[in-house]
Amino acid sequence: MGEKSIDRASLEMLKKAAREEITTAWDRFAKQQPQCGFGLLGICCRNCNMGPCRIDPFGEGPEEGICGAGADTIAARNLLRMIAAGAAAHSDHGRDIVTTLYAAAQSEAQGYQIKDEVKLRALAAEFGIPVEGRAREEIARDLAREAMEEFGMVKGTLQFLNRAPEKRRALWQKLGIAPRGIDREIVEAMHRTNMGVDNDHVNIVLHGVRTGLSDGWGGSMFATEFSDILFGTPQPVRGKSNLGVLKENQVNIIVHGHEPTLSEMIVLAAREEDLLALARARGAEGINVCGMCCTGNELLMRHGVPVAGNFLQQELALVTGAVEAMVVDVQCVMPALARVADCYHTKLISTSPKARFPGAEHVPFDEHTALETARKIVQIAVENYPNRKQELVEIPEAAMEYVAGFSVEAILQALGGTLNPLLDAIKAGQIKGIAAVVGCNNPKTTQDRGHLALTRELIKNDVLVVQTGCAAIACAKAGLLLPEAAAEAGPGLRAVCEALKVPPVLHMGSCVDISRILVVAAAVANALGVDICDLPVAGAAPEWMSEKAVSIGAYVVGSGVFTVLGTVPPVLGGKNLAELLTRGAQDVLGAAFAVEEDPVRAASLILAHIAAKRRALGLEP
Ligand code: SF4
Ligand code: SF4
């Protein structure tokens, strides 16, 4: 492994962690070396108790597991299980937002309101729910019920698939991969990968795409759309990012994880006068709520709440010694946090019944009493302020401004209400294409380097970049989410950004908000009368690590978008499987994966792809 990070604040805190003998993900990564070759290649199986079985990649040992499964079958089954787990995570998050809307509509969800009635009515109409003359609560209740149906649906296919271009929908039908219900595809994935069920790697991958599509055009889309109804559809907003957002003289609370339901309430509670008065009584000047990972993204998109960092900074935030409470819900929360928190005065507070952490204090969250729970948590943090060990406090200075909040609606607004200016710029070659750069951090690669190098290379070559997740936080920290970053763009993109006063890199939200990117891609394809795979667009996940990213990859490629991965997925042991994912998929889905660890070479692949698509559309490359 090369350098651990290119982020100044992270490097500073890594030095402090070393001085204080605190181990982080990077240390644990080093201890894991060399990582198991069978695991890296995806050719170990423990799907039944005759195993575990391993295939010898050099052809000198076993070529089959005890049941006779070969390398392609084993690697494909493992891949499908990763997709199912990722789709489950996004979709269960979506379900929680749906049930919160349902409770809010029944006036049973304390503190929640319907913030975007226009979106509520538009979505209801999309689902065929009558809206004329009806109260919003009534509409919301019916819409939430319809949405709940889509999880375990017994009729037809997912409603949101209708947003995709006709050609894409026809292809999904022809291939038999149009999802028939979110939960159903995940359950079927687990069934198929059971010992002795689906052993054909092509058939397994096709179901992997269907499972992924049930996430992208199902669970994730529900999470996004229903969060907008409840918390408001994001609009451009300014805020600050990186560990420098923590405040020396304030109670610092970090909300980390994924779901906005509790964190929205914590933001509200932290503004209440009695809690602010309590903070002053305990010697603090105020209460500073900051985000981390995708909870951070949800809050920054809607409120401009400062974001303390991305995935690999969760432990480092505690190493500052200045965090009174880290409040976690679900996903991407390292179990190691409890040990790091123990070295300082920090309270690690878990809140979800689905995610308990030994060593953390558990304050159960329930949407029916959300505001009360949020107040309790803020109070715990405030009461903890006097316990801060001043001699251990060191907050890095690094804090960079960002502009985020580019929902589809906000993009349309910036364009003057129609996609035409964007289409004209693409046709004229001012903007060569659009690339989605998304995903996590991973200690296998230098933190943030892939995100920044790839993004910079793309905008320099007039490719508009849209982002979500930890990739977007990386770019926020580097100043690429500011309109001024247009100076780093090629002349065409720069002129468009300066005219519209937008950054060349648009932050579209958390990982579930990749559904917003699908909506934009579908709208552009529909406007041009083509399929998504005909567009000069591409996807990239330079530093991905999560199973959720595997699900995202499946639905993005399944939707027709060429996608470059920066860390190698565990499939290379199945040679035919790898060939299918990187080449064969192109003939079937009109898109495939590429793997390229070097971000500049990854950019070249994307630029070549965009040029080829432009040529095929009759546009100047
Ligand atoms: S399913 Fe087959 S390959 Fe997997 S552990 Fe059982 S016998 Fe081995
Ligand atoms: S981008 Fe990856 S690491 Fe970051 S919050 Fe999303 S899934 Fe977690």
mmCIF file of all heavy atoms in Angstrom, residues 44-55 64-70 74 77 193-196 199, ligand 1:
data_model
loop_
_atom_site.group_PDB
_atom_site.id
_atom_site.type_symbol
_atom_site.label_atom_id
_atom_site.label_comp_id
_atom_site.label_asym_id
_atom_site.label_seq_id
_atom_site.Cartn_x
_atom_site.Cartn_y
_atom_site.Cartn_z
ATOM 1 N N CYS A 44 -13.795 -19.203 -2.919
ATOM 2 C CA CYS A 44 -14.012 -20.041 -1.752
ATOM 3 C C CYS A 44 -15.517 -20.079 -1.491
ATOM 4 O O CYS A 44 -16.215 -19.111 -1.756
ATOM 5 C CB CYS A 44 -13.272 -19.515 -0.529
ATOM 6 S SG CYS A 44 -13.556 -17.792 -0.204
ATOM 7 N N CYS A 45 -16.003 -21.215 -1.040
ATOM 8 C CA CYS A 45 -17.447 -21.348 -0.816
ATOM 9 C C CYS A 45 -17.694 -22.023 0.526
ATOM 10 O O CYS A 45 -17.048 -23.015 0.852
ATOM 11 C CB CYS A 45 -18.071 -22.188 -1.939
ATOM 12 S SG CYS A 45 -19.842 -22.438 -1.701
ATOM 13 N N ARG A 46 -18.631 -21.472 1.296
ATOM 14 C CA ARG A 46 -19.089 -22.154 2.507
ATOM 15 C C ARG A 46 -20.608 -22.083 2.577
ATOM 16 O O ARG A 46 -21.194 -21.868 3.623
ATOM 17 C CB ARG A 46 -18.389 -21.627 3.765
ATOM 18 C CG ARG A 46 -18.347 -20.135 3.891
ATOM 19 C CD ARG A 46 -17.660 -19.692 5.163
ATOM 20 N NE ARG A 46 -17.724 -18.258 5.294
ATOM 21 C CZ ARG A 46 -18.802 -17.591 5.673
ATOM 22 N NH1 ARG A 46 -19.897 -18.215 5.992
ATOM 23 N NH2 ARG A 46 -18.782 -16.273 5.738
ATOM 24 N N ASN A 47 -21.209 -22.327 1.415
ATOM 25 C CA ASN A 47 -22.674 -22.288 1.351
ATOM 26 C C ASN A 47 -23.320 -23.565 1.878
ATOM 27 O O ASN A 47 -24.533 -23.659 1.922
ATOM 28 C CB ASN A 47 -23.160 -22.003 -0.084
ATOM 29 C CG ASN A 47 -22.855 -20.574 -0.510
ATOM 30 O OD1 ASN A 47 -22.123 -19.878 0.182
ATOM 31 N ND2 ASN A 47 -23.400 -20.148 -1.629
ATOM 32 N N CYS A 48 -22.505 -24.576 2.204
ATOM 33 C CA CYS A 48 -23.072 -25.738 2.895
ATOM 34 C C CYS A 48 -21.991 -26.338 3.790
ATOM 35 O O CYS A 48 -20.816 -25.988 3.676
ATOM 36 C CB CYS A 48 -23.615 -26.761 1.894
ATOM 37 S SG CYS A 48 -22.391 -27.951 1.319
ATOM 38 N N ASN A 49 -22.396 -27.256 4.624
ATOM 39 C CA ASN A 49 -21.466 -27.770 5.622
ATOM 40 C C ASN A 49 -20.686 -29.005 5.160
ATOM 41 O O ASN A 49 -20.016 -29.646 5.950
ATOM 42 C CB ASN A 49 -22.211 -28.044 6.940
ATOM 43 C CG ASN A 49 -21.268 -27.953 8.120
ATOM 44 O OD1 ASN A 49 -20.281 -27.202 8.067
ATOM 45 N ND2 ASN A 49 -21.524 -28.724 9.164
ATOM 46 N N MET A 50 -20.753 -29.314 3.850
ATOM 47 C CA MET A 50 -19.749 -30.237 3.307
ATOM 48 C C MET A 50 -18.437 -29.472 3.172
ATOM 49 O O MET A 50 -17.368 -30.043 3.227
ATOM 50 C CB MET A 50 -20.184 -30.768 1.936
ATOM 51 C CG MET A 50 -21.340 -31.738 1.988
ATOM 52 S SD MET A 50 -21.614 -32.511 0.389
ATOM 53 C CE MET A 50 -22.490 -31.257 -0.513
ATOM 54 N N GLY A 51 -18.568 -28.130 2.944
ATOM 55 C CA GLY A 51 -17.401 -27.277 2.781
ATOM 56 C C GLY A 51 -16.885 -26.839 4.132
ATOM 57 O O GLY A 51 -17.247 -27.413 5.147
ATOM 58 N N PRO A 52 -16.035 -25.815 4.182
ATOM 59 C CA PRO A 52 -15.733 -24.919 3.058
ATOM 60 C C PRO A 52 -14.893 -25.578 1.958
ATOM 61 O O PRO A 52 -14.080 -26.452 2.238
ATOM 62 C CB PRO A 52 -14.949 -23.776 3.716
ATOM 63 C CG PRO A 52 -14.386 -24.351 4.967
ATOM 64 C CD PRO A 52 -15.358 -25.406 5.420
ATOM 65 N N CYS A 53 -15.110 -25.095 0.727
ATOM 66 C CA CYS A 53 -14.366 -25.593 -0.429
ATOM 67 C C CYS A 53 -13.618 -24.437 -1.087
ATOM 68 O O CYS A 53 -14.092 -23.306 -1.079
ATOM 69 C CB CYS A 53 -15.324 -26.179 -1.459
ATOM 70 S SG CYS A 53 -16.335 -27.515 -0.826
ATOM 71 N N ARG A 54 -12.478 -24.763 -1.683
ATOM 72 C CA ARG A 54 -11.703 -23.745 -2.392
ATOM 73 C C ARG A 54 -11.242 -24.330 -3.724
ATOM 74 O O ARG A 54 -10.920 -25.506 -3.813
ATOM 75 C CB ARG A 54 -10.474 -23.324 -1.583
ATOM 76 C CG ARG A 54 -10.823 -22.903 -0.176
ATOM 77 C CD ARG A 54 -9.684 -22.281 0.549
ATOM 78 N NE ARG A 54 -8.504 -23.118 0.676
ATOM 79 C CZ ARG A 54 -7.466 -22.821 1.452
ATOM 80 N NH1 ARG A 54 -7.479 -21.701 2.148
ATOM 81 N NH2 ARG A 54 -6.424 -23.612 1.522
ATOM 82 N N ILE A 55 -11.210 -23.468 -4.725
ATOM 83 C CA ILE A 55 -10.740 -23.894 -6.047
ATOM 84 C C ILE A 55 -9.300 -23.411 -6.200
ATOM 85 O O ILE A 55 -8.992 -22.269 -5.856
ATOM 86 C CB ILE A 55 -11.616 -23.257 -7.163
ATOM 87 C CG1 ILE A 55 -13.102 -23.564 -6.938
ATOM 88 C CG2 ILE A 55 -11.145 -23.704 -8.551
ATOM 89 C CD1 ILE A 55 -13.472 -25.022 -6.931
ATOM 90 N N GLU A 64 -13.080 -28.290 -8.442
ATOM 91 C CA GLU A 64 -14.500 -28.254 -8.077
ATOM 92 C C GLU A 64 -14.640 -28.364 -6.563
ATOM 93 O O GLU A 64 -13.802 -28.973 -5.895
ATOM 94 C CB GLU A 64 -15.233 -29.459 -8.659
ATOM 95 C CG GLU A 64 -15.305 -29.489 -10.155
ATOM 96 C CD GLU A 64 -15.857 -30.829 -10.651
ATOM 97 O OE1 GLU A 64 -15.835 -31.820 -9.882
ATOM 98 O OE2 GLU A 64 -16.311 -30.871 -11.791
ATOM 99 N N GLY A 65 -15.751 -27.804 -6.066
ATOM 100 C CA GLY A 65 -16.090 -28.029 -4.669
ATOM 101 C C GLY A 65 -16.625 -29.451 -4.515
ATOM 102 O O GLY A 65 -16.773 -30.189 -5.497
ATOM 103 N N ILE A 66 -16.944 -29.842 -3.269
ATOM 104 C CA ILE A 66 -17.378 -31.219 -3.005
ATOM 105 C C ILE A 66 -18.663 -31.547 -3.779
ATOM 106 O O ILE A 66 -18.836 -32.655 -4.281
ATOM 107 C CB ILE A 66 -17.554 -31.422 -1.482
ATOM 108 C CG1 ILE A 66 -16.180 -31.278 -0.809
ATOM 109 C CG2 ILE A 66 -18.167 -32.784 -1.155
ATOM 110 C CD1 ILE A 66 -16.232 -31.059 0.689
ATOM 111 N N CYS A 67 -19.543 -30.534 -3.946
ATOM 112 C CA CYS A 67 -20.794 -30.774 -4.689
ATOM 113 C C CYS A 67 -20.565 -30.765 -6.195
ATOM 114 O O CYS A 67 -21.466 -31.105 -6.959
ATOM 115 C CB CYS A 67 -21.825 -29.718 -4.325
ATOM 116 S SG CYS A 67 -21.332 -28.066 -4.833
ATOM 117 N N GLY A 68 -19.368 -30.343 -6.621
ATOM 118 C CA GLY A 68 -19.097 -30.286 -8.058
ATOM 119 C C GLY A 68 -19.169 -28.883 -8.629
ATOM 120 O O GLY A 68 -18.983 -28.684 -9.831
ATOM 121 N N ALA A 69 -19.431 -27.880 -7.777
ATOM 122 C CA ALA A 69 -19.490 -26.500 -8.271
ATOM 123 C C ALA A 69 -18.095 -26.040 -8.684
ATOM 124 O O ALA A 69 -17.132 -26.216 -7.939
ATOM 125 C CB ALA A 69 -20.035 -25.576 -7.181
ATOM 126 N N GLY A 70 -17.994 -25.458 -9.877
ATOM 127 C CA GLY A 70 -16.710 -24.960 -10.373
ATOM 128 C C GLY A 70 -16.498 -23.499 -10.004
ATOM 129 O O GLY A 70 -17.338 -22.872 -9.351
ATOM 130 N N ILE A 74 -19.109 -20.801 -8.214
ATOM 131 C CA ILE A 74 -18.838 -20.328 -6.852
ATOM 132 C C ILE A 74 -18.690 -18.803 -6.829
ATOM 133 O O ILE A 74 -19.318 -18.114 -6.011
ATOM 134 C CB ILE A 74 -17.580 -21.025 -6.286
ATOM 135 C CG1 ILE A 74 -17.899 -22.502 -6.016
ATOM 136 C CG2 ILE A 74 -17.086 -20.336 -5.012
ATOM 137 C CD1 ILE A 74 -16.716 -23.334 -5.553
ATOM 138 N N ARG A 77 -22.066 -17.137 -7.461
ATOM 139 C CA ARG A 77 -22.964 -17.212 -6.298
ATOM 140 C C ARG A 77 -22.532 -16.204 -5.234
ATOM 141 O O ARG A 77 -23.365 -15.530 -4.621
ATOM 142 C CB ARG A 77 -22.945 -18.625 -5.700
ATOM 143 C CG ARG A 77 -23.683 -19.649 -6.533
ATOM 144 C CD ARG A 77 -23.973 -20.909 -5.751
ATOM 145 N NE ARG A 77 -22.798 -21.513 -5.140
ATOM 146 C CZ ARG A 77 -22.606 -22.836 -5.033
ATOM 147 N NH1 ARG A 77 -23.521 -23.671 -5.515
ATOM 148 N NH2 ARG A 77 -21.545 -23.313 -4.449
ATOM 149 N N THR A 193 -28.717 -19.187 -4.529
ATOM 150 C CA THR A 193 -27.319 -19.427 -4.165
ATOM 151 C C THR A 193 -27.170 -20.521 -3.113
ATOM 152 O O THR A 193 -26.059 -20.851 -2.710
ATOM 153 C CB THR A 193 -26.667 -18.126 -3.645
ATOM 154 O OG1 THR A 193 -27.490 -17.587 -2.609
ATOM 155 C CG2 THR A 193 -26.528 -17.097 -4.743
ATOM 156 N N ASN A 194 -28.307 -21.061 -2.687
ATOM 157 C CA ASN A 194 -28.307 -22.211 -1.791
ATOM 158 C C ASN A 194 -27.648 -23.386 -2.504
ATOM 159 O O ASN A 194 -27.723 -23.485 -3.723
ATOM 160 C CB ASN A 194 -29.783 -22.529 -1.538
ATOM 161 C CG ASN A 194 -30.016 -23.105 -0.191
ATOM 162 O OD1 ASN A 194 -30.397 -24.247 -0.093
ATOM 163 N ND2 ASN A 194 -29.797 -22.326 0.845
ATOM 164 N N MET A 195 -27.045 -24.293 -1.746
ATOM 165 C CA MET A 195 -26.391 -25.453 -2.377
ATOM 166 C C MET A 195 -27.374 -26.209 -3.293
ATOM 167 O O MET A 195 -28.496 -26.509 -2.896
ATOM 168 C CB MET A 195 -25.892 -26.398 -1.279
ATOM 169 C CG MET A 195 -25.054 -27.539 -1.778
ATOM 170 S SD MET A 195 -26.051 -29.016 -1.951
ATOM 171 C CE MET A 195 -25.240 -29.807 -3.317
ATOM 172 N N GLY A 196 -26.913 -26.426 -4.517
ATOM 173 C CA GLY A 196 -27.697 -27.257 -5.426
ATOM 174 C C GLY A 196 -28.871 -26.577 -6.094
ATOM 175 O O GLY A 196 -29.809 -27.258 -6.497
ATOM 176 N N ASN A 199 -26.746 -23.063 -10.771
ATOM 177 C CA ASN A 199 -25.322 -23.347 -10.955
ATOM 178 C C ASN A 199 -24.757 -22.798 -12.257
ATOM 179 O O ASN A 199 -23.606 -23.040 -12.588
ATOM 180 C CB ASN A 199 -25.100 -24.865 -10.894
ATOM 181 C CG ASN A 199 -25.411 -25.394 -9.509
ATOM 182 O OD1 ASN A 199 -24.766 -24.987 -8.550
ATOM 183 N ND2 ASN A 199 -26.412 -26.235 -9.378
HETATM 184 S S1 SF4 B 1 -22.064 -25.643 -1.817
HETATM 185 FE FE1 SF4 B 1 -20.603 -27.028 -2.857
HETATM 186 S S2 SF4 B 1 -18.780 -25.749 -3.113
HETATM 187 FE FE2 SF4 B 1 -20.045 -24.757 -1.558
HETATM 188 S S3 SF4 B 1 -19.338 -25.526 0.419
HETATM 189 FE FE3 SF4 B 1 -21.026 -26.860 -0.220
HETATM 190 S S4 SF4 B 1 -20.013 -28.510 -1.327
HETATM 191 FE FE4 SF4 B 1 -18.517 -26.885 -1.175
#
